[in-house]
């Protein structure tokens, strides 16, 4: 909590707040503030862009700060431990989530094709997301993560992964458009309901996944940068 007191909340970035205050991501989801791909912007700038009043958001964040929540500060944990967490909590989870969501989406599109609320094109979009995400995760697992675990922060591969994170963010925006912000119609069947519940979970998980990598895992520790400038390389020599 001590790091939060350094700057007023409004001056801190969304990414830092999301990784420093337990429950902050739920607040940001509520107000549709992009804390993963848009995590570099300050809270003040993000609120201004959305034309939102700061009082309610600040109040929610301040209440969270006062709560005694169990919260893992991944900045203080070894890199290898964070990598293991990301692999189990997100990589394995995405590989379970997407095939089932694709199956559910295909069923909904087939049965409700004449419904004006039908998310037409969702199955193909989820299939594209799965292929892109699988390729992304494989590159992390086979190339980048082993280097990070060894204390090497290759600028080239990191830049590629960050760019792909932006593409994942774009894919989530398309998902929102196809599903009316993942809003169920009043007469939705159980399959449709299960699909949208799963989509909300996927969106929250993917945003948290991107956040941890962009804001913490990919950031070179100052001690390493000071001790050995060679640890930051383009990646081509590995």
């Amino acid at each position: 909590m001590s790091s939060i007191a350094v700057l007023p909340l409004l001056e801190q970035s969304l990414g830092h707040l999301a990784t420093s205050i337990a429950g902050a991501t739920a607040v940001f989801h509520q107000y549709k503030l992009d804390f993963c791909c848009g995590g570099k912007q300050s809270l003040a700038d993000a609120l201004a862009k959305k034309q939102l009043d700061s009082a309610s958001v600040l109040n929610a964040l301040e209440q969270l700060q006062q709560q005694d929540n169990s919260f893992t500060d991944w900045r203080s944990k070894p890199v290898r431990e964070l990598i293991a967490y990301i692999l189990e909590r997100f990589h394995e989870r995405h590989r379970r989530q997407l095939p089932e969501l694709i199956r559910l989406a295909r069923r909904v599109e087939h049965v409700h094709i004449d419904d004006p609320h039908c998310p037409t094109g969702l199955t193909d979009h989820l299939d594209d997301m799965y292929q892109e995400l699988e390729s992304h995760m494989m590159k992390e697992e086979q190339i980048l993560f082993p280097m990070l675990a060894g204390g090497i922060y290759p600028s080239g591969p990191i830049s590629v992964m960050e760019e792909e994170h932006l593409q994942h963010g774009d894919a989530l925006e398309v998902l929102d458009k196809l599903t009316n912000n993942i809003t169920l119609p009043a007469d939705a069947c159980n399959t449709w309901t299960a699909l949208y519940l799963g989509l909300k979970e996927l969106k929250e998980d993917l945003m948290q996944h991107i956040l941890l990598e962009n804001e913490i895992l990919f950031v070179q520790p100052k001690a390493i940068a000071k001790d050995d400038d060679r640890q930051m390389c383009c990646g081509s020599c590995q």
Side-chain angles (χ1 to χ4, degrees):
M1 288 294 186
S2 59
S3 61
I4 293 296
V6 173
L7 290 173
L9 293 177
L10 283 172
E11 295 180 23
Q12 294 182 55
S13 70
L14 294 182
H16 182 78
L17 292 170
T19 55
S20 302
I21 301 177
T25 56
V27 175
F28 295 155
H29 276 299
Q30 179 183 351
Y31 291 96
K32 300 188 183 304
L33 299 174
D34 181 8
F35 58 84
C36 64
C37 296
K40 300 298 183 183
Q41 62 185 330
S42 70
L43 176 58
D45 287 344
L47 292 172
K49 289 178 182 178
K50 291 283 188 177
Q51 297 183 324
L52 294 172
D53 179 59
S54 63
S56 56
V57 177
L58 287 174
N59 182 58
L61 293 175
E62 288 166 356
Q63 287 185 6
L64 289 173
Q65 283 183 293
Q66 295 169 8
Q67 295 175 5
D68 183 22
N69 289 319
S70 176
F71 183 70
T72 301
D73 180 7
W74 287 108
R75 290 184 177 87
S76 66
K77 299 292 184 180
V79 170
R80 291 177 184 271
E81 186 175 336
L82 176 54
I83 290 174
Y85 174 76
I86 289 173
L87 290 174
E88 180 179 356
R89 175 63 179 81
F90 298 111
H91 284 210
E92 292 183 15
R93 193 180 186 91
H94 295 330
R95 287 178 172 125
R96 293 194 302 269
Q97 289 170 320
L98 278 157
E100 177 61 11
L101 290 173
I102 291 169
R103 185 189 71 82
L104 292 171
R106 182 175 292 111
R107 180 64 177 169
V108 168
E109 287 194 68
H110 175 73
V111 173
H112 301 283
I113 189 172
D114 296 324
D115 191 315
H117 300 291
C118 181
T120 304
L122 180 60
T123 304
D124 288 341
H125 181 61
L126 288 174
D127 189 58
D128 289 342
M129 282 186 67
Y130 186 28
Q131 293 183 44
E132 292 297 326
L133 193 55
E134 179 62 31
S135 173
H136 176 86
M137 293 189 296
M138 288 294 290
K139 282 182 282 188
E140 288 184 331
E141 292 165 6
Q142 296 178 1
I143 301 171
L144 183 56
F145 285 2
M147 297 177 74
L148 297 178
I152 299 171
Y153 287 74
S155 59
I158 287 176
S159 295
V160 170
M161 294 299 98
E162 289 177 332
E163 180 62 31
E164 291 185 3
H165 285 169
L166 292 176
Q167 295 169 9
H168 299 328
D170 292 341
L172 289 178
E173 289 186 9
V174 173
L175 187 151
D176 280 341
K177 291 178 181 178
L178 290 172
T179 62
N180 188 27
N181 292 313
I182 318 183
T183 303
L184 278 169
D187 58 347
C189 66
N190 289 339
T191 301
W192 205 333
T193 301
L195 170 63
Y196 278 28
L197 283 173
L199 291 178
K200 288 180 179 179
E201 179 185 66
L202 173 67
K203 181 178 179 180
E204 292 176 4
D205 284 346
L206 186 53
M207 291 180 73
Q208 186 70 21
H209 179 183
I210 292 171
L211 174 73
L212 284 175
E213 292 185 350
N214 283 357
E215 294 292 323
I216 301 178
L217 182 60
F218 294 169
V219 179
Q220 184 181 24
K222 293 181 180 179
I224 292 179
K226 182 177 180 181
D227 292 343
D228 189 354
D229 290 339
R230 294 173 300 172
Q231 297 299 312
M232 179 61 81
C233 71
C234 67
S236 62
C237 58
Q238 303 302 319

